[in-house]
Structure formats: C-alpha cells, structure tokens
Amino acid sequence: MDEMTEDWSSVSSPAVVVDGAAMTYRLHPGGNAETRAGLILKRFPGRVRNAEPSLKEVRALKPLSLVAQHGESIGVIGLNGSGKSTLMKLICGKIKPTEGSVYASSTPIMLGVSAALVPDLSGKDNVVLGCLAMGMTREELNSKYDGILELAGLQSAIDLPMRSYSSGMSARLRFAIAASINPEILVLDEALNTGDDEFRGRTKHRMDELRKEAGCVFLVSHSLPTVQQLCTRIIWLDKGDLLYDGEPAYGLKWYKRYTKFLSEKDVESAQRIRRRMLKELQEVRIMHKVPGRRKST
C-alpha cells in the first residue's frame, strides 16, 4: 500500500478531515438483553450477580483517513453493512469515533431518507416546516420558496399529504429542502437513489451550484448512474475498510466487477479485486490538523 502524507501547507481549502477515525460498537447479545438483565437483578437482589451478558464488539469502521476539499462532490459506495452510514454520522458529529478524530470547517447538514417531516402535512407545509427547522428566517424562506418547489418538481402533488408520496417523491422534496440553505457541507445518505433523468438533471445543476459556492457534498447511494453523474470523486467502503478513494470511472469499474462476482458467488474472484484495491490505495497520513471547528475526538 502506497502512503501519502497530507501537509496543510499544500492543502487549499479542506472542508472535512478524517484523521485515523474508526468506530467500534459495543452491543449486548439479543438486542435489549441489558434491560432484561437489569430487571432480573432488581427482582432478585443479592442472588443474581452474573446475569448481565458480556458485551460484543462490532467493528463498523476500521481506521481511515481522508481529506474532502471545498468544491468537491464525493460519492460514497459500498454494500450494505460496509460502514457508509457510520462514516457519515462521524462526519456530521452525530457519533464520536472510538479512535482518531474528525474535523469540519462548519456544521454539516445531513439529509437521510428518514428526515423528520410530517406525513400528514402537505408538501408545501413540509417545505415551510423543514426550512424553519433548519434555522431559516421567514424572509429567507419567502425568497427561496418558489425555487424549492421548482427543484422538487412535484407539480400538483405538492398540495397532497406527504404520506401519499412515493419514496422517490419524498426524496425529491427532502433534497430540495436541504439544498435550499446553501450548506457549506451537505451529506445525502441514501436520499437520491430514486428519481427520473429530469430530476437527476436538476439535482446535478443544484449540486454544481453548491460546489461553485465552495460547498462540499457527500452522496451515499446504491445508484451507480447517480453517483457517476453527480460526483467528482468516490469513496468505496467494504466491511469497514476503505478500498478506494479517487476519480469515479476507475473505482466504479472495479466496484461493478466486485459486486458481479459476489452475485455469482465467485468469492475468490471478488477477494482478488478486494486485495487489488487495498494494494493500490494510497494511505493518507494527516500531519497537521485543519484550522477550524473540531467535530469529535
């Protein structure tokens, strides 16, 4: 594995720095086993001393380092359970890494498929609710309202309750709301896996605008055409390992081959690709911390 040292004297404008960050979860077997054990101990004080089960450690993300610059749109790909959502939660400061550190130049805005909107309200009402919840003033909302509706592209459906929307329609509305505040760092976790070519075109235009305004966008998606169309760089995670960090075409070519072999149950060929990517990966070592807001330690 090649090694690359990242010196801040040569870095133009970092938005996010992940410095050897890793995440290990400590879980109880059986999900709520801790609660059950606590009830037993309360019912039989002094008699049951070893009822609480031992904790199981799950390595969700192995130590990795990367630098995301202002003006980049970064696609994050990988199979389910690869560590994509864990990395995004670390970047957003929702959880703290068990190893290493994560830094950001401003507070990232995270948009996921479970973004908190109200199903019984209309799309229009949810636009108002979502924008105010993100801290937008009434004046800002009024000036951007029409643009949000245009980007969402829901036409007459915007007056219907959101519970009547398809998953694609909901994703379009959430993206339009989140992108309206010109966030410096925007994280889209599985939010744009659906949508037609017209919507992807509008989305690309908006993401290009964000990047031109020195924003940085992370897009987690299983839709490889969406990643290829919208992103200037991709990160490939697999079983908690960083396998690839670079330009999209090369990484997507090997990722498609990797998933094809796995679907055909050709594990040996898939593992050869995995070993190849790890060998080619340039490891980043952070030598100087980014000036700005420290997210987690």
Side-chain angles (χ1 to χ4, degrees):
M1 181 184 294
D2 296 330
E3 187 174 287
M4 180 173 61
T5 299
E6 195 70 65
D7 190 321
W8 295 118
S9 62
S10 62
V11 172
S12 57
S13 182
V16 175
V17 177
V18 181
D19 184 7
M23 189 68 204
T24 299
Y25 293 104
R26 302 181 69 198
L27 305 175
H28 287 274
N32 61 346
E34 183 177 14
T35 302
R36 294 199 303 270
L39 292 174
I40 293 173
L41 289 171
K42 289 180 180 179
R43 290 179 61 187
F44 302 99
R47 296 184 182 182
V48 182
R49 295 301 183 189
N50 299 315
E52 188 168 348
S54 59
L55 293 173
K56 179 181 179 181
E57 291 192 348
V58 176
R59 190 76 152 170
L61 200 65
K62 299 172 186 177
L64 65 86
S65 296
L66 60 89
V67 178
Q69 304 287 349
H70 288 97
E72 286 190 302
S73 55
I74 303 173
V76 185
I77 63 173
L79 300 174
N80 290 333
S82 61
K84 304 186 300 297
S85 292
T86 296
L87 178 58
M88 295 303 100
K89 289 176 182 177
L90 291 176
I91 289 174
C92 290
K94 292 182 178 293
I95 57 175
K96 292 185 178 181
T98 49
E99 300 175 39
S101 303
V102 180
Y103 304 85
S105 58
S106 68
T107 302
I109 300 298
M110 185 173 190
L111 171 68
V113 291
S114 59
L117 299 178
V118 180
D120 289 330
L121 294 181
S122 69
K124 284 184 176 180
D125 289 338
N126 271 300
V127 168
V128 175
L129 177 66
C131 290
L132 294 178
M134 291 189 301
M136 193 179 294
T137 66
R138 281 284 182 178
E139 291 74 19
E140 290 172 330
L141 172 58
N142 291 336
S143 66
K144 296 182 178 183
Y145 184 77
D146 291 339
I148 296 172
L149 299 190
E150 181 181 356
L151 178 57
L154 297 177
Q155 286 78 42
S156 60
I158 199 70
D159 294 310
L160 299 177
M162 194 173 171
R163 57 179 161 76
S164 67
Y165 289 4
S166 67
S167 59
M169 294 167 69
S170 297
R172 291 157 67 170
L173 183 62
R174 291 186 179 108
F175 174 77
I177 294 171
S180 66
I181 61 171
N182 297 328
E184 184 178 345
I185 304 169
L186 175 62
V187 177
L188 305 170
D189 192 352
E190 307 288 4
L192 296 177
N193 286 340
T194 56
D196 54 24
D197 291 338
E198 182 187 0
F199 174 63
R200 279 197 292 269
R202 292 197 303 273
T203 302
K204 185 178 188 306
H205 178 71
R206 181 61 186 133
M207 288 178 68
D208 287 343
E209 288 180 339
L210 290 173
R211 291 193 297 107
K212 289 177 182 178
E213 293 166 2
C216 177
V217 181
F218 289 89
L219 170 62
V220 180
S221 180
H222 287 292
S223 173
L224 301 188
T226 299
V227 170
Q228 189 164 15
Q229 182 180 12
L230 300 181
C231 299
T232 59
R233 169 184 170 190
I234 65 167
I235 293 169
W236 173 6
L237 296 174
D238 186 70
K239 299 176 183 177
D241 283 314
L242 176 62
L243 294 191
Y244 180 80
D245 181 1
E247 61 94 16
Y250 185 76
L252 289 174
K253 177 186 75 172
W254 286 106
Y255 180 71
K256 290 175 183 177
R257 293 182 183 180
Y258 178 72
T259 55
K260 180 177 181 291
F261 285 134
L262 288 179
S263 68
E264 295 171 348
K265 301 189 184 303
D266 188 350
V267 178
E268 183 178 346
S269 296
Q271 288 302 312
R272 281 201 298 268
I273 291 179
R274 196 178 193 278
R275 290 192 294 269
R276 175 185 181 132
M277 304 314 294
L278 284 171
K279 184 177 180 180
E280 292 182 356
L281 181 69
Q282 285 191 318
E283 183 180 359
V284 175
R285 290 203 316 165
I286 309 300
M287 299 300 294
H288 302 281
K289 302 299 185 285
V290 62
R293 190 168 185 266
R294 183 172 181 170
K295 290 300 300 175
S296 54
T297 56

